[in-house]
Amino acid sequence: MEKWADNKAWFLVLPVFVVVAFSAIIPLMTVVNYSVQDIFGPGNAVFVGTEWFEQMLTDHRLHDALWRQFLFSGLVLLIEIPLGILIALAMPKKGWGVSASLVTLAIPLLIPWNVIGTIWIIFTRPDIGLFGVGINSLDLLEVPFDHTARPSYAWVTLMAMEVWHWTPLVALLCYAGLRAIPEAYYQAAKIDGASAWAVFRYIQLPKMRGVLTIAVLLRWMDSFLIYAEPFALTGGGPGNSTTFLSIYLVKLATGQFDLGPAAAFSLIYFLIVLLFSFIFYQALLNVGKGEKAS
Amino acid sequence: MRVRKRYIALFFYFLVLVVPIYWMLNMSLRSNADILGTFSLYPSHLTFKNYIKVFTDPTWYSGYINAIIYVTLNTLMSLAFALPAAYAFSRYKFLGDGQMFFWLLTNRMAPPAVFLLPYFQLYSTVNLIDTHIAVALAHCLFNVPLAVWILEGFMSGIPKEIDETAFIDGYSFPRFFFTLFIPLIRAGVGVTAFFCFMFSWVELLFARTLTVTEAKPIVATMTRTISATGLDWGLLAANGILTIVPGALVIWFVRNHLAKGFALGRV
């Protein structure tokens, strides 16, 4: 669609600009301000330049949190994307089953994020949880299951929760992509005697490219920003084993009141996210073009 | 045969999806002593005591009222701001449109933890701490960009010839926009409203930081109870179940547009 060229359209965008700028730019400038000062109290601050940035870039706990975050987001993608594709492929294509599946899939996505944590505490606790009691009654584990007992247990619980929570999103997107494939493609494949694998590899997967790009990027971004669920489930523990970037940042800023380092860290965090946002943006634009052209 | 196996696998997946929620429902219908005393797969001593407590104790039910107030405010604000902007992005080329569109996206992707502290200071300065409007305004940070993106997706599906014909017929812009154009994309407006409602409802960090008592939402009340001693699991579970209700009530209406909403209007 050819667009009209008119700079007066800015008047329509101005309200959005003002309200988002109020919520985004002023706080961001405050963060920048903090990040170059050492603040002792109101009206008592010293300019320290890039000291906090240097401190943060060499902070081992930050590096640990960052690697933990990459590991977590990577695992999330490795599990959720294939699983989501499988679910989308298995979903019914017509009849009452379609609506029923869509609504069931959507339920975890509508639950407040810390309630997700609550659900999984109640579900996995070794004294009252179905999963906790169930797995301990099998007597397979050396140390009885308790997500606060061992880092590996905490990770398993967190991953189970994350996969439970967000795989439906991947499945929903893939399902939308699959539904956009014309029936004629499948008929042609049938005439050619194509195997189910060939249909998937040469028809379904290429047609899902757009939605899969969105799914991968959304899951990457959101898991990178994760806060409420691990906060409610493990609080970052045991030890620091599930302290992800956001949790570390909030601990730093509100727990220890290290404003300068926290602000410097925020900016680094924000820049990482900005980089991914840019990749995401380019992908989204191309997705739009690709779908319209075909 | 193949088809049958596929549906059995799908059925088991849905079972896994529902069981943790069932477990919370089970807990919510039992007393705390019963929960800690006996392990039972279903509420053998059925009680609605937890729900009655939530609905009669102001420290609990006010959390729902507060959340509903700011979520509704936020949804209305997001729509009011986003509708004209989305129209501009879908119809016009203007200086910096691409950059602006990208900038909106970065705010949708911004880590809330980064903004936490300055938000507290900013809203303290303008005396808005512990008000509903503060949370509603803060949630605009991610909901307005989301609304613009989704609405732009829906608006771009309407041919521009409709606008041109209306203007030739002598419609003024506001009259065209409100009486012709918005009714055309009402499905999109509904879906956008749903997503704004949802993302504001599920958010915890801003809501907890910007409220103290007067506007404290239920999600914040719940986290504070977790840290307190003498945890009442039944009560916590009942609250968990109640927070799912609003989403569950409206999900049916938007089921076919969910993917589009989550894909920021790009599917």
Side-chain angles (χ1 to χ4, degrees):
Chain A
M1 189 160 64
E2 193 62 36
K3 290 179 181 178
W4 298 311
D6 190 347
N7 281 334
K8 272 188 285 196
W10 257 104
F11 287 109
L12 297 171
V13 182
L14 203 61
V16 162
F17 180 75
V18 171
V19 73
V20 179
F22 177 75
S23 298
I25 293 178
I26 299 176
L28 199 60
M29 286 302 111
T30 321
V31 174
V32 172
N33 197 15
Y34 286 154
S35 72
V36 293
Q37 297 188 64
D38 196 349
I39 297 163
F40 301 109
N44 187 3
V46 180
F47 181 78
V48 294
T50 57
E51 194 187 311
W52 298 133
F53 288 93
E54 284 157 24
Q55 187 188 324
M56 279 292 113
L57 286 174
T58 53
D59 183 348
H60 290 294
R61 280 170 306 167
L62 174 66
H63 292 172
D64 291 347
L66 187 65
W67 290 125
R68 220 172 275 136
Q69 187 72 64
F70 275 117
L71 179 65
F72 181 75
S73 295
L75 281 175
V76 161
L77 285 184
L78 277 179
I79 300 172
E80 289 182 9
I81 298 293
L83 191 60
I85 294 176
L86 283 178
I87 294 161
L89 288 172
M91 272 168 67
K93 287 178 187 60
K94 47 180 175 282
W96 63 269
V98 175
S99 294
S101 306
L102 286 177
V103 171
T104 316
L105 270 181
I107 290 172
L109 302 170
L110 305 169
I111 303 173
W113 294 339
N114 64 311
V115 176
I116 299 273
T118 307
I119 289 178
W120 280 82
I121 291 175
I122 291 177
F123 189 60
T124 56
R125 270 186 67 105
D127 53 348
I128 59 170
L130 181 63
F131 180 79
V133 173
I135 198 143
N136 283 340
S137 69
L138 293 178
D139 217 12
L140 293 172
L141 299 167
E142 218 171 291
V143 179
F145 183 84
D146 179 352
H147 68 74
T148 57
R150 279 187 161 194
S152 59
Y153 292 168
W155 269 75
V156 166
T157 317
L158 263 181
M159 286 307 299
M161 174 178 74
E162 171 66 28
V163 168
W164 179 84
H165 187 186
W166 287 111
T167 304
L169 169 67
V170 181
L172 271 174
L173 290 172
C174 290
Y175 185 67
L178 284 176
R179 277 226 286 213
I181 301 174
E183 194 53 34
Y185 283 54
Y186 292 114
Q187 282 159 4
K190 211 171 177 183
I191 292 166
D192 290 348
S195 65
W197 169 251
V199 170
F200 174 71
R201 174 66 187 80
Y202 295 106
I203 297 176
Q204 291 170 323
L205 199 58
K207 279 284 173 182
M208 280 196 291
R209 201 180 58 97
V211 281
L212 273 178
T213 314
I214 294 177
V216 167
L217 288 164
L218 266 185
R219 284 317 306 134
W220 174 263
M221 300 288 306
D222 283 348
S223 63
F224 210 77
L225 308 179
I226 194 166
Y227 175 80
E229 299 94 322
F231 171 77
L233 185 64
T234 62
N240 274 328
S241 60
T242 56
T243 302
F244 298 117
L245 279 181
S246 281
I247 295 186
Y248 183 57
L249 178 57
V250 174
K251 267 186 190 165
L252 205 61
T254 60
Q256 310 172 8
F257 273 104
D258 285 341
L259 292 190
F265 176 36
S266 294
L267 287 178
I268 297 168
Y269 196 173
F270 193 64
L271 285 178
I272 297 175
V273 172
L274 202 65
L275 178 69
F276 286 122
S277 291
F278 185 70
I279 301 170
F280 190 19
Y281 179 63
Q282 295 302 332
L284 279 177
L285 287 188
N286 293 327
V287 167
K289 273 177 203 148
E291 308 249 306
K292 266 157 207 161
S294 63
Chain B
M1 195 56 216
R2 240 187 67 75
V3 171
R4 188 134 324 144
K5 235 188 263 171
R6 207 174 70 181
Y7 284 140
I8 291 170
L10 195 65
F11 176 77
F12 272 106
Y13 174 71
F14 284 151
L15 206 65
V16 170
L17 220 50
V18 173
V19 162
I21 299 175
Y22 164 75
W23 196 250
M24 190 163 72
L25 182 68
N26 175 14
M27 292 292 154
S28 75
L29 294 170
R30 299 166 63 187
S31 70
N32 204 40
D34 185 28
I35 291 171
L36 294 171
T38 46
F39 183 80
S40 164
L41 292 178
Y42 58 92
S44 44
H45 303 284
L46 189 71
T47 169
F48 291 98
K49 211 185 62 183
N50 298 318
Y51 289 96
I52 294 168
K53 170 118 171 118
V54 171
F55 284 115
T56 50
D57 184 346
T59 54
W60 287 107
Y61 71 71
S62 66
Y64 291 93
I65 298 171
N66 290 332
I68 287 170
I69 292 174
Y70 74 66
V71 166
T72 311
L73 261 175
N74 172 266
T75 306
L76 293 176
M77 280 162 69
S78 300
L79 277 178
F81 287 123
L83 273 168
Y87 181 81
F89 283 119
S90 83
R91 294 301 196 249
Y92 292 102
K93 242 197 316 246
F94 51 93
L95 193 65
D97 51 356
Q99 287 82 347
M100 179 79 185
F101 211 44
F102 171 62
W103 176 67
L104 285 177
L105 181 76
T106 63
N107 289 308
R108 171 72 188 81
M109 296 299 170
V114 170
F115 289 104
L116 209 58
L117 211 64
Y119 260 55
F120 187 78
Q121 293 222 312
L122 176 65
Y123 285 94
S124 303
T125 317
V126 290
N127 261 330
L128 281 175
I129 287 289
D130 209 15
T131 59
H132 301 106
I133 193 82
V135 187
L137 208 58
H139 284 180
C140 279
L141 176 70
F142 49 83
N143 267 351
V144 167
L146 177 80
V148 172
W149 275 75
I150 300 180
L151 284 171
E152 198 268 345
F154 276 92
M155 286 176 181
S156 296
I158 306 277
K160 225 172 50 171
E161 285 68 31
I162 293 191
D163 310 33
E164 282 163 348
T165 318
F167 293 138
I168 289 167
D169 286 350
Y171 276 80
S172 66
F173 177 72
R175 183 152 163 249
F176 155 75
F177 195 67
F178 290 108
T179 63
L180 274 181
F181 195 68
I182 289 184
L184 277 178
I185 53 150
R186 58 179 182 274
V189 175
V191 172
T192 311
F194 169 81
F195 272 90
C196 290
F197 188 93
M198 192 192 94
F199 278 111
S200 181
W201 181 260
V202 299
E203 205 277 338
L204 165 74
L205 209 46
F206 284 147
R208 197 182 50 160
T209 309
L210 296 177
T211 58
V212 187
T213 47
E214 289 301 309
K216 188 162 74 172
I218 183 62
V219 284
T221 317
M222 283 177 71
T223 61
R224 275 166 209 181
T225 318
I226 287 176
S227 54
T229 50
L231 197 47
D232 189 338
W233 291 109
L235 193 60
L236 195 66
N239 277 292
I241 291 292
L242 287 172
T243 56
I244 304 178
V245 170
L249 282 180
V250 284
I251 185 68
W252 184 259
F253 300 104
V254 294
R255 62 189 183 282
N256 290 321
H257 297 292
L258 277 169
K260 185 159 187 161
F262 277 111
L264 311 180
R266 301 291 110 175
V267 177

